[in-house]
Short mmCIF file of all heavy atoms in Angstrom, two decimals:
data_model
loop_
_atom_site.label_atom_id
_atom_site.label_comp_id
_atom_site.label_asym_id
_atom_site.label_seq_id
_atom_site.Cartn_x
_atom_site.Cartn_y
_atom_site.Cartn_z
N ILE A 118 42.52 52.44 207.16
CA ILE A 118 41.50 51.77 207.98
C ILE A 118 42.00 50.36 208.22
O ILE A 118 42.24 49.61 207.28
CB ILE A 118 40.13 51.73 207.27
CG1 ILE A 118 39.70 53.15 206.89
CG2 ILE A 118 39.08 51.10 208.19
CD1 ILE A 118 38.43 53.17 206.04
N SER A 119 42.16 50.00 209.47
CA SER A 119 42.64 48.66 209.80
C SER A 119 41.49 47.81 210.34
O SER A 119 40.52 48.33 210.90
CB SER A 119 43.77 48.71 210.82
OG SER A 119 43.28 49.24 212.05
N SER A 120 41.60 46.51 210.12
CA SER A 120 40.60 45.54 210.64
C SER A 120 39.19 46.02 210.34
O SER A 120 38.34 46.19 211.25
CB SER A 120 40.79 45.34 212.15
OG SER A 120 42.11 44.94 212.45
N SER A 121 38.89 46.21 209.05
CA SER A 121 37.61 46.79 208.63
C SER A 121 36.42 46.07 209.22
O SER A 121 36.42 44.84 209.35
CB SER A 121 37.52 46.78 207.11
OG SER A 121 38.58 47.49 206.53
N GLN A 122 35.38 46.84 209.51
CA GLN A 122 34.09 46.31 209.97
C GLN A 122 33.01 46.75 209.01
O GLN A 122 33.17 47.73 208.29
CB GLN A 122 33.80 46.81 211.40
CG GLN A 122 34.87 46.43 212.40
CD GLN A 122 34.61 47.02 213.77
OE1 GLN A 122 33.70 47.79 213.99
NE2 GLN A 122 35.50 46.68 214.72
N THR A 123 31.90 46.03 209.01
CA THR A 123 30.84 46.38 208.06
C THR A 123 30.33 47.80 208.30
O THR A 123 29.90 48.46 207.35
CB THR A 123 29.65 45.40 208.18
OG1 THR A 123 29.22 45.36 209.55
CG2 THR A 123 30.08 43.98 207.76
N THR A 124 30.43 48.29 209.51
CA THR A 124 30.01 49.66 209.81
C THR A 124 30.93 50.71 209.21
O THR A 124 30.60 51.90 209.22
CB THR A 124 29.91 49.88 211.32
OG1 THR A 124 31.14 49.47 211.92
CG2 THR A 124 28.76 49.08 211.92
N ASP A 125 32.08 50.29 208.70
CA ASP A 125 32.97 51.23 208.02
C ASP A 125 32.51 51.52 206.60
O ASP A 125 33.05 52.43 205.95
CB ASP A 125 34.41 50.66 207.95
CG ASP A 125 35.04 50.50 209.32
OD1 ASP A 125 34.72 51.30 210.23
OD2 ASP A 125 35.90 49.60 209.45
N SER A 126 31.56 50.79 206.11
CA SER A 126 31.03 51.03 204.75
C SER A 126 30.50 52.43 204.62
O SER A 126 30.00 53.02 205.57
CB SER A 126 29.95 50.01 204.41
OG SER A 126 30.47 48.71 204.40
N GLY A 127 30.61 52.94 203.40
CA GLY A 127 30.12 54.29 203.13
C GLY A 127 31.07 54.97 202.18
O GLY A 127 31.89 54.33 201.52
N VAL A 128 30.95 56.26 202.08
CA VAL A 128 31.81 57.06 201.19
C VAL A 128 32.73 57.92 202.05
O VAL A 128 32.29 58.57 203.00
CB VAL A 128 30.99 57.94 200.24
CG1 VAL A 128 31.92 58.71 199.29
CG2 VAL A 128 29.98 57.13 199.46
N TYR A 129 34.01 57.88 201.72
CA TYR A 129 35.02 58.66 202.42
C TYR A 129 35.43 59.84 201.54
O TYR A 129 35.87 59.66 200.40
CB TYR A 129 36.22 57.79 202.79
CG TYR A 129 35.89 56.81 203.85
CD1 TYR A 129 35.21 55.62 203.56
CD2 TYR A 129 36.19 57.06 205.20
CE1 TYR A 129 34.87 54.72 204.54
CE2 TYR A 129 35.85 56.16 206.18
CZ TYR A 129 35.18 55.00 205.86
OH TYR A 129 34.83 54.12 206.85
N PHE A 130 35.28 61.04 202.12
CA PHE A 130 35.62 62.26 201.40
C PHE A 130 36.82 62.94 202.01
O PHE A 130 36.97 62.99 203.26
CB PHE A 130 34.46 63.26 201.43
CG PHE A 130 33.29 62.89 200.56
CD1 PHE A 130 32.14 62.36 201.14
CD2 PHE A 130 33.32 63.09 199.21
CE1 PHE A 130 31.03 62.01 200.36
CE2 PHE A 130 32.23 62.76 198.41
CZ PHE A 130 31.11 62.21 198.99
N CYS A 131 37.64 63.50 201.15
CA CYS A 131 38.71 64.40 201.52
C CYS A 131 38.27 65.80 201.07
O CYS A 131 37.74 65.95 199.98
CB CYS A 131 39.99 63.95 200.80
SG CYS A 131 41.33 65.12 200.80
#
Side-chain angles (χ1 to χ4, degrees):
Chain A
I118 305 173
S119 64
S120 304
S121 300
Q122 301 175 358
T123 55
T124 52
D125 294 330
S126 296
V128 183
Y129 289 80
F130 288 103
C131 166

